[in-house]
Amino acid sequence: MSNPNPSNAFCSAPAFPVVSGRLRLAATALPTHPTPGHEHALTTADRLADLLSAETAWFHWRVPDPGSLPATLRPWLGAGMFLPAWDTSRREDEAHFAATEPDRHRRLLELLAPLRADGEAQNVGFDVGMAWSMARWAKAWRADVALSFYPHTGSLAAAVAGALLEIPHAVWLGTLTPETKLPWHFPAVLSLASVVSVADQASLAVLATRFGTALAAKAVARTEPGAMALLARRLQDAVVARPANAPQRGPEPAFATRIEAAQPAEGARLFAIACAERTGSNLLVDLLARQPRVACVGELFNSRFLDGGKLPWLDTAVPHADELRHLRTENPSALLARLRLEAQQRGFDQVGLKVMYGHLVTNNALVDALLAAPDLRIVHLRREDRLGRLLSYLRAKETDVWFRRKGSGEAAAARVLLTAEQVAQDFALQEAFERRCAATFAGHASIDITYEELVQDQQQVLERLAHLLGMRARDVAPLLRKEAPKDPAAGVVGWHDLRTAFTGTRWACQFPGEPASEGPRPDDRAAESP
């Protein structure tokens, strides 16, 4: 099996690729608890990709526990496209296709409706929601072919992606018997599939008996000579036959939902700080807000502010705050236009807001508004120390203390109990958000800043920001205090087991050196006991 990310051997997050001229195979596999069968799936996808001269990306929404993976699967941990499994993001992904592909979206709902009525209630909503999400990310990745393995639930997602994007979908089945229990969405997957690979002739006969000869005609038995080559040829023919009016693919058509006319370039110039929590964003906002003629309003679209009706920066001085709260929900473009005008009236040349990664996947209207903003500049703030970010986030969430001013006391940092699966899930999520943010705003002037750069060389960061924003940088002493980096081994309960679980994975670099103590500490045992 080839290395899934040969150019991203360890810590770097693979970006959405540029057009390369090669076919792109979007595959689903690697569920939470892999089995030897999933290693076979990886090998199969490699063989099919070779026959198609295609590059492969794996789409998944649960990262396996690294400790459960055999050595041969460890290089695949975190590879491919990770989809956030949030209700809000799934709803926005469906809303995207309802707006951009209304006819295809409607036909899929009609196909799934009778099956959903008989489906397993606890899984139906999630399965369908993740299908919209995979389709949107496959659209951004410019997938040409979808591949899935039954009974993995990704088969519905791959089938929906194929139908929405009008790309061929191959589904790989195991052995079928008359007694084989099939998930609720199996008939939909079969009807949407371009080609079906079955284990043998007996399975093919079961398929014909249960679903009819028309569906069975799509199937290829793997016991036939040259079965894999035949599968590849059928997929290639389907790619060539893709209609000219099929949906456009790429980051811009995937992450923009309603293409808005460019806003008039009136008022102060707008910039956005795009980031995750605990990346130094409060420090950066503080530094920018004290630059000459620069205003920085913070998280204008924070969900807690939305629920509570709070308008940072605006609600203290604007007489029409109720109207602006309505615009924030119903017309973000109009709110941003008002923000620029208000900033100009207060004597500012630049005005910025902080946009968290979560806002970009749960608010289509906000993304559309930002993309339509004239001369929008993007400051993409990341933290390379992913484990440090996660520890900081968990502590802040526990204490509800998100920043400290200089001179304030420093609370003792409690040690955190982490599971390997929890850490892997967070790492994958942050990488997915980073690549989506970069792809969404690829057409805008931007700079990439890391937390580490901000802490180590504030003046250099300010000079880079001045170049991007067209401002005159002024060296200022930060009002907020960043805590000194701590030894992660001293802050994590069960560090040795956690570090061992990531050995041989692309995230091993997040666990450098030797743990402070190879054996469990007394407080480790206390924390782990019920």
Side-chain angles (χ1 to χ4, degrees), residues 47-48 51 172 195-199 201 219-236:
R47 289 176 58 202
L48 185 58
L51 289 169
W172 189 277
V195 59
V196 179
S197 174
V198 296
Q201 289 293 336
V220 175
R222 292 192 291 276
T223 51
E224 295 180 15
M228 184 66 84
L230 176 59
L231 176 66
R233 282 199 301 275
R234 289 192 181 183
L235 290 173
Q236 285 175 324

Side-chain angles (χ1 to χ4, degrees), residues 16 56 74 180 183 193 202 208 225 265 360 414 434-435 444 463-464 475 508:
F16 286 98
T56 305
R74 284 176 173 260
T180 300
L360 298 178
E434 288 173 7
R435 73 180 71 168
H444 290 73
E463 289 172 0
R464 293 175 60 203
D475 191 14

Side-chain angles (χ1 to χ4, degrees), residues 69 71 74 104 122 148 157 217 240 249 288 392 456 503 514 517:
L69 291 174
R74 284 176 173 260
R104 294 180 178 89
Q122 69 275 22
S148 62
V240 172
R249 294 161 295 170
L288 284 169
S392 179
Q456 293 169 10
T503 300
E514 292 297 326
S517 173

